[in-house]
């Protein structure tokens, strides 16, 4: 597990935001944003306070990712398993999502960011779906970095849906031999995004939690102790510096 308080040495100045070489910068970073509840508990606050601070961290990291040259940032906001949480907490999370979409879309548009949504977000309440559709449409022609938000997302369900679509294509006449890795990629929610280079999970947990299982096949994994509400641009810069020290062989020598 990586602890940013006691990490391996990095190249000179590599821990300063914006000073990475282009070769060491991951094109696509995904983050499992974990630790909101523990952040609140440690301060004897309600869980929603942790989620509010988590939204502030989203703002910080979205901005920092742009500044540090990341092409695509994917954030795990709400999994298909999160419906098991208390109804009140789900309501708080959806309220914060509404607030984010209403208040951040102007900045995203101004910065040229394209918004993408992964997962079956249309299962959410109608007013929230309308907000999401509007935000995606308003940023669709932007040519800058991509912010992908995973909502009601589960990687296993994503793969099942891709398999079903391919089966339908085979039934319609597509040869089975046409099914390869690229064909599966095209059926996933991440179609059009750069290959996943780096996946970060905050809070010290070390599992993928049904997130981007196919896409993470050769991604570098980084598990850090920092709770999500405390994750900031410096933490992201340190994660990129750690990524830059990895030797990616993709099965070779």
């Amino acid at each position: 597990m990586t602890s940013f308080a006691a990490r391996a040495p990095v190249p000179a100045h590599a821990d300063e935001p914006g000073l990475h070489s282009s070769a060491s910068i991951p094109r696509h970073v995904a983050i499992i944003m974990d630790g909101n509840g523990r952040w609140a508990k440690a301060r004897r606050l309600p869980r929603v306070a942790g989620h509010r601070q988590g939204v502030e961290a989203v703002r910080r990291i979205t901005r920092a990712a742009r500044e540090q040259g990341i092409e695509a940032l994917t954030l795990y906001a709400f999994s298909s398993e999160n419906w098991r949480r208390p109804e009140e907490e789900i309501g708080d999370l959806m309220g914060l999502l509404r607030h984010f979409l209403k208040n951040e879309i102007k900045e995203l548009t101004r910065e040229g960011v394209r918004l993408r949504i992964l997962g079956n977000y249309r299962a959410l309440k109608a007013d929230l779906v309308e907000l999401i559709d509007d935000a995606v449409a308003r940023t669709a022609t932007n040519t800058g970095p991509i912010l992908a938000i995973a909502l009601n997302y589960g990687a296993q369900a994503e793969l099942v849906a891709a398999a079903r679509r391919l089966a339908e294509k085979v039934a319609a006449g597509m040869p089975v031999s046409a099914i390869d890795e690229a064909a599966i990629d095209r059926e996933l929610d991440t179609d059009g995004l750069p290959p996943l280079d780096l996946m970060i999970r905050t809070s010290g947990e070390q599992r993928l939690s049904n997130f981007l299982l196919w896409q993470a096949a050769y991604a570098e994994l980084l598990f850090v102790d920092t709770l999500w509400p405390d994750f900031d641009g410096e933490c992201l810069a340190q994660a990129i510096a750690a990524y830059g020290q990895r030797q990616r062989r993709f099965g070779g020598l």
Side-chain angles (χ1 to χ4, degrees):
M1 181 191 308
T2 297
S3 171
F4 287 144
R7 61 187 186 279
V10 298
H13 307 299
D15 59 346
E16 297 179 23
L19 295 181
H20 306 286
S21 69
S22 59
S24 67
I25 298 173
R27 294 180 63 200
H28 183 184
V29 175
I31 305 179
I32 301 174
M33 306 179 292
D34 196 12
N36 291 349
R38 275 167 282 176
W39 185 94
K41 184 177 180 181
R43 291 160 177 77
R44 298 183 179 180
L45 296 172
R47 287 179 63 86
V48 68
H51 293 314
R52 289 193 186 105
Q53 289 301 312
V55 171
E56 292 303 315
V58 169
R59 292 191 180 101
R60 291 195 303 268
I61 297 307
T62 301
R63 186 176 304 113
R66 296 198 299 270
E67 293 170 351
Q68 295 180 40
I70 294 170
E71 293 181 34
L73 175 68
T74 299
L75 302 176
Y76 203 10
F78 192 84
S79 77
S80 52
E81 290 77 24
N82 285 157
W83 294 110
R84 302 169 186 167
R85 295 189 177 189
E87 186 175 345
E88 181 180 0
E89 182 173 353
I90 293 173
D92 289 337
L93 288 167
M94 296 302 161
L96 289 169
L97 177 60
R98 287 186 183 88
H99 181 79
F100 178 83
L101 290 168
K102 290 178 180 178
N103 290 276
E104 298 302 313
I105 189 63
K106 288 183 180 179
E107 180 176 353
L108 294 179
T109 301
R110 184 169 59 250
E111 295 294 330
V113 176
R114 288 171 286 167
L115 181 65
R116 286 277 300 271
I117 304 297
L118 314 183
N120 182 22
Y121 74 93
R122 294 194 177 280
L124 305 179
K125 290 187 176 180
D127 70 307
L128 192 48
V129 172
E130 184 176 351
L131 276 175
I132 292 169
D133 284 339
D134 178 66
V136 170
R138 288 172 64 181
T139 64
T141 59
N142 291 346
T143 58
I146 297 169
L147 172 62
I149 300 178
L151 292 171
N152 194 27
Y153 172 89
Q156 291 175 329
E158 177 188 34
L159 288 167
V160 167
R164 286 174 175 166
R165 285 191 291 271
L166 287 170
E168 290 171 355
K169 290 181 178 181
V170 169
M174 184 181 81
V176 173
S177 60
I179 300 176
D180 56 11
E181 289 89 343
I184 294 174
D185 276 337
R186 289 192 293 270
E187 298 297 336
L188 299 179
D189 294 353
T190 50
D191 180 41
L193 296 183
L196 181 61
D197 293 314
L198 173 64
M199 183 182 290
I200 303 168
R201 182 170 187 145
T202 61
S203 88
E205 301 292 344
Q206 299 187 54
R207 56 181 176 271
L208 298 185
S209 295
N210 199 21
F211 185 48
L212 301 180
L213 299 181
W214 173 274
Q215 297 86 341
Y218 277 102
E220 297 296 318
L221 307 180
L222 190 64
F223 303 102
V224 301
D225 293 326
T226 308
L227 300 176
W228 175 247
D230 294 325
F231 201 82
D232 57 16
E234 181 180 358
C235 293
L236 182 62
Q238 292 166 359
I240 294 173
Y243 169 85
Q245 292 182 312
R246 305 277 181 95
Q247 293 184 5
R248 307 187 72 196
R249 298 185 179 88
F250 299 96
L253 297 178

